Each structure stands twice: as C-alpha cells, then as structure tokens.
Amino acid sequence: MNRPAPVEITYKNMRFLITHNPTNATLHKFIEELKKYGVTTVVRVCEATYDANLVVKEGIQVLVSPHEPVHLHDCE
C-alpha cells in the first residue's frame, strides 16, 4: 500500500507534521522522516501500531492522545 507523504503545517510559532501511522515494519523509514523534519515530539492519536520505545530511543518523545483509542478506520 502506498502511503501519503507527510504534510507540514505551521501555525504561529508551532510546526506540525501530519503522517500516516507506521507499523513496526515501516518504523525505520518513519523515524528517518521524523528526523528529517526535526520532530522532537510525536502525539499518537490512533491505536498503537508500532513499538514507541524504538522512537523514544531515537530521542523523540511519544505522547498518547487522551482520546485514544480511535477507531482504526479513522486513522487509515
């Protein structure tokens, strides 16, 4: 399945990167993209599809939305 490219949104002094949820199989590429954009914090708003500890090991904080779980079809 082809996934859409990340989209960067800027609002005032904040930057947001909207991406498709990764899997453990695509996590390496996901982390590369996060680093390319200088991401320091990920906010997960979908059900967990990857091991967040691997992202944290790369120095990127992972937060979980208080509204989780979201129905998977909302995130695909």
Side-chain angles (χ1 to χ4, degrees):
M1 166 201 260
N2 289 333
R3 299 198 176 211
V7 175
E8 184 176 11
I9 299 171
T10 303
Y11 177 75
K12 297 186 180 182
N13 65 338
M14 298 176 284
R15 292 172 49 221
F16 301 90
L17 185 65
I18 310 300
T19 68
H20 201 281
N21 55 326
T23 64
N24 284 326
T26 61
L27 193 54
H28 177 72
K29 180 70 175 160
F30 179 70
I31 291 170
E32 278 181 17
E33 287 292 313
L34 296 178
K35 288 182 173 184
K36 180 173 117 181
Y37 284 92
V39 171
T40 58
T41 305
V42 169
V43 178
R44 189 176 67 217
V45 296
C46 299
E47 291 183 31
T49 57
Y50 61 94
D51 182 357
N53 291 318
L54 299 174
V55 178
V56 172
K57 284 182 183 179
E58 294 293 326
I60 301 169
Q61 180 180 17
V62 178
L63 304 176
V64 178
S65 168
H67 303 290
E68 190 181 12
V70 172
H71 298 292
L72 259 181
H73 67 273
D74 293 339
C75 302
E76 295 179 351

